[in-house]
């Protein structure tokens, strides 16, 4: 039960699940809904909202499938996923970009300098 701007909404849902007895995985899921408890205007608004939501989902799915087809036709946009490294390369376990590692080095040096500064300040305050 609930409400929308057109009135009160009462919807009954029924889920039917078919499970694999051994693994417990869901093999099939059917969901039905009954909106007969809604008033006329509330039911119409509910139906309109459901159609609008389904339409946006279909548009998103269609654009994704068109993009996937374009990737398949064009040879794929992500060439790095198809790249397999040289098994004899000793640096194959190292990741990262050279610029990222340089920035990480700069952060580590700055932290060490900050710690040295703090220790010097503490020692001069105690002396």
């Amino acid at each position: 039960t609930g409400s929308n701007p057109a009135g009160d909404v009462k919807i009954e849902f029924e889920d039917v699940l078919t499970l694999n007895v051994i693994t417990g995985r869901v093999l099939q899921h059917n969901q039905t809904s009954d909106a007969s408890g809604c008033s006329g205007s509330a039911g119409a608004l509910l139906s309109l909202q459901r159609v609008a939501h389904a339409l946006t989902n279909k548009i998103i799915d269609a654009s994704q499938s068109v993009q996937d087809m374009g990737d398949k036709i064009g040879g794929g946009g992500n060439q790095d996923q198809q790249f397999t490294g040289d098994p004899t390369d000793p640096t194959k376990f190292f990741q990262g970009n050279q610029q990222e590692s340089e920035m990480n080095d700069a952060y580590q040096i700055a932290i060490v300098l900050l710690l040295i500064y703090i220790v010097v300040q503490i020692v001069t305050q105690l002396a």
Side-chain angles (χ1 to χ4, degrees), residues 111-124:
I111 290 172
V112 168
L113 291 174
L114 178 67
L115 290 175
I116 291 172
Y117 176 76
I118 290 172
V119 168
V120 167
Q121 290 298 317
I122 291 172
V123 169
T124 56

Side-chain angles (χ1 to χ4, degrees), residues 32-47:
T32 57
S33 60
D34 180 22
S36 61
C38 299
S39 66
S41 60
L45 184 59
L46 176 68
S47 297

Side-chain angles (χ1 to χ4, degrees), residues 8-27:
D8 289 335
V9 177
K10 182 179 179 185
I11 305 173
E12 294 183 18
F13 291 98
E14 181 181 355
D15 291 318
V16 177
L17 300 171
T18 304
L19 301 174
N20 184 333
V21 178
I22 296 172
T23 62
R25 286 187 173 180
V26 176
L27 299 176

Side-chain angles (χ1 to χ4, degrees), residues 18-99:
T18 304
L19 301 174
N20 184 333
V21 178
I22 296 172
T23 62
R25 286 187 173 180
V26 176
L27 299 176
Q28 186 177 8
H29 180 201
N30 294 328
Q31 183 181 44
T32 57
S33 60
D34 180 22
S36 61
C38 299
S39 66
S41 60
L45 184 59
L46 176 68
S47 297
L48 184 63
Q49 288 174 339
R50 289 184 66 195
V51 167
H53 180 71
L55 184 61
T56 56
N57 284 345
K58 288 293 183 183
I59 290 171
I60 291 171
D61 292 343
S63 68
Q64 184 65 35
S65 64
V66 167
Q67 183 178 5
D68 291 344
M69 278 192 338
D71 287 345
K72 286 180 184 176
I73 291 172
N78 296 334
Q79 295 293 336
D80 58 342
Q81 290 179 350
Q82 298 173 358
F83 177 76
T84 55
D86 181 16
T88 60
D89 183 15
T91 62
K92 65 183 174 185
F93 298 110
F94 298 106
Q95 295 180 351
N97 189 331
Q98 182 65 25
Q99 291 176 341

